[in-house]
Amino acid sequence: MPEQAQLVIIGSGIVGCAAAYHLVELGWKDIIVVDKGELFENDGSTSHAPGGVVPLSHSKLMTQFGMYTADLIKTLKPFREDRNTCNPVGQLEVAISEERWQDMIRLHGTAKAFGVETHLLSPEESVGLIPVMDSKAFVGSLHIPSGCIVKGADVSGAFARDAQEKAESANSTLRFMSHTAVTETDVKDGKVVGVKTNNPKVPYISCESVLLCANVWSPAMTEQFGVDVPLRAFEHQYSRLEPMDNLSQFDPNNKDHEVVFPTMRELDSGMYYRQHWNSYGLGNYGHTPHMVRAQDLFKDLSANAMYPFTPEDFYGEPWENAVRLFPSIKDKELVEPFNGLMAFSVDGMPIIGETKVKGFWTATASWITHAAGVAKSVSEWMTY
């Protein structure tokens, strides 16, 4: 007999697990979450993402998603003892140009309208929060106390754990299945009736609804019934650095030393930075675009969202701007650099809603920052 469920959620990343959490709260009784790899620490971008939750933007909706996500994650119990699931250290937006500084002033005003606490800081005040920066290298910063840094896979696990507890107390059923890739969605008369998988123990799951939370794989999974999910995967560079002498006071074995300074972005260069105990991590968006087709990813079910590092995209202007802001990293080597796949929609917004196939829903093109807000939105839409 095939497995049966009210709903199948595809993807155990942060959006899929947050959706299970919210749907159980809303009374859904029988949910199966499947993932083609391991659960939580899986093949998707949640696992490799550096974990910055950046709640404020010029979009009111995205700010609401971001603030809801940050606030909810901070209430979750830690997923494991040796690591903080959430580090509520705040965020700095740093301006190295006068033009960007004017945008920070405008964003500060926008934040007041959105009800988000922010502070405009001088370079000297900024260095008080991140003392390894050079105050002469930038014009000023915008401090957003609600920002935080999380371990993405642990947030997924915490949502799943709490969702299962909620399901048990409500006499509902919530199951998670690893190594269960959905290879085809079964559609009859324009409506979802089930999914086929590559799991020999669970080759078919009969269901009333499907929620697609597979992000970079999503476009390839909807082509069969003529639905185009308008997002593409692009490579994004990230690397940690060797230990830094001026951060030697932070013990790599102490979970509370992992992130003490706020996460920081410098958008003129498309760079961001976060502490890793006695070192720093650098993310680079300002490089030559490298697009990856979802269809190519879908051909190999063992593929993950981490690609080989391309040093030619990193050494040059991105590295020079990083050294200008953080002089002490000048002679440091990169540690385990990689290009990670991230999902980008055509307008920068998440793709949420029911497709033309009745019962087939999407919650894609979301990053960690907005994940819980996106999950709550689609869950309420599916319920009401």
Side-chain angles (χ1 to χ4, degrees):
M1 293 291 293
E3 287 281 351
Q4 291 187 322
Q6 182 183 12
L7 168 69
V8 172
I9 298 176
I10 303 174
S12 71
I14 191 168
V15 175
C17 291
Y21 174 97
H22 286 88
L23 286 162
V24 168
E25 276 196 330
L26 291 171
W28 288 61
K29 296 296 184 182
D30 189 4
I31 301 171
I32 297 177
V33 181
V34 300
D35 198 286
K36 76 181 191 67
E38 297 290 341
L39 296 174
F40 319 136
E41 193 79 54
N42 57 31
D43 296 330
S45 56
T46 296
S47 298
H48 71 66
V53 176
V54 184
L56 177 62
S57 74
H58 286 296
S59 163
K60 185 175 183 179
L61 175 61
M62 298 300 277
T63 297
Q64 289 173 328
F65 280 168
M67 290 299 299
Y68 176 80
T69 299
D71 290 343
L72 181 57
I73 288 175
K74 289 170 186 174
T75 69
L76 298 174
K77 295 178 295 184
F79 185 63
R80 49 178 172 159
E81 294 182 359
D82 64 336
R83 188 84 180 266
N84 289 332
T85 299
C86 178
N87 299 277
V89 292
Q91 174 203 349
L92 278 187
E93 297 277 338
V94 169
I96 64 171
S97 68
E98 286 292 343
E99 292 82 2
R100 183 64 62 182
W101 178 239
Q102 291 304 311
D103 186 57
M104 294 298 154
I105 295 172
R106 187 167 68 94
L107 186 58
H108 178 56
T110 299
K112 289 180 180 293
F114 293 170
V116 179
E117 180 187 359
T118 58
H119 308 276
L120 289 169
L121 304 182
S122 68
E124 292 73 25
E125 290 171 322
S126 305
V127 171
L129 294 175
I130 305 180
V132 291
M133 288 198 302
D134 182 357
S135 63
K136 300 181 184 64
F138 60 100
V139 179
S141 74
L142 181 68
H143 180 216
I144 307 161
S146 53
C148 56
I149 295 179
V150 305
K151 168 67 174 164
D154 286 1
V155 176
S156 301
F159 275 131
R161 175 201 63 206
D162 293 355
Q164 286 188 307
E165 291 176 1
K166 291 175 184 290
E168 289 170 6
S169 65
N171 293 319
S172 301
T173 301
L174 172 62
R175 291 170 286 173
F176 289 82
M177 297 182 181
S178 63
H179 302 286
T180 305
V182 171
T183 56
E184 187 178 339
T185 302
D186 194 8
V187 178
K188 292 184 179 177
D189 298 323
K191 185 181 184 310
V192 165
V193 295
V195 295
K196 299 177 182 178
T197 85
N198 70 338
N199 186 337
K201 295 181 180 179
V202 191
Y204 189 88
I205 304 173
S206 175
C207 61
E208 300 171 14
S209 301
V210 170
L211 175 59
L212 180 62
C213 302
N215 240 14
V216 297
W217 285 269
S218 298
M221 302 185 72
T222 59
E223 282 187 336
Q224 67 171 100
F225 39 79
V227 171
D228 181 24
V229 177
L231 71 80
R232 289 294 179 266
F234 283 84
E235 297 180 30
H236 157 64
Q237 296 191 303
Y238 190 79
S239 181
R240 290 181 293 115
L241 296 171
E242 293 178 308
M244 297 161 58
D245 295 339
N246 53 356
L247 295 177
S248 60
Q249 70 270 33
F250 298 109
D251 180 3
N253 297 311
N254 186 333
K255 65 180 181 179
D256 293 325
H257 285 189
E258 179 190 0
V259 190
V260 177
F261 305 140
T263 182
M264 192 271 273
R265 298 197 307 180
E266 188 273 285
L267 295 179
D268 282 314
S269 306
M271 298 284 289
Y272 65 90
Y273 308 83
R274 60 150 291 181
Q275 184 184 0
H276 288 279
W277 291 278
N278 60 353
S279 182
Y280 248 76
L282 289 69
N284 176 25
Y285 283 107
H287 57 78
T288 302
H290 298 287
M291 188 180 78
V292 178
R293 297 177 73 253
Q295 292 79 0
D296 295 334
L297 277 171
F298 198 58
K299 290 176 184 176
D300 180 7
L301 292 179
S302 65
N304 64 37
M306 293 180 70
Y307 273 50
F309 187 67
T310 52
E312 66 274 14
D313 290 316
F314 191 83
Y315 288 107
E317 186 175 353
W319 176 248
E320 290 167 4
N321 286 331
V323 171
R324 192 173 297 117
L325 278 168
F326 295 87
S328 57
I329 72 174
K330 181 177 180 180
D331 298 319
K332 297 302 178 183
E333 297 291 331
L334 303 183
V335 178
E336 298 179 351
F338 65 92
N339 287 9
L341 297 187
M342 307 291 274
F344 294 84
S345 65
V346 294
D347 60 1
M349 301 290 282
I351 301 169
I352 308 171
E354 190 174 23
T355 69
K356 68 178 183 181
V357 174
K358 187 172 177 58
F360 193 99
W361 294 77
T362 67
T364 63
S366 173
W367 296 2
I368 287 176
T369 288
H370 308 107
V374 167
K376 181 177 187 289
S377 180
V378 75
S379 298
E380 291 175 344
W381 198 348
M382 292 172 70
T383 303
Y384 303 123

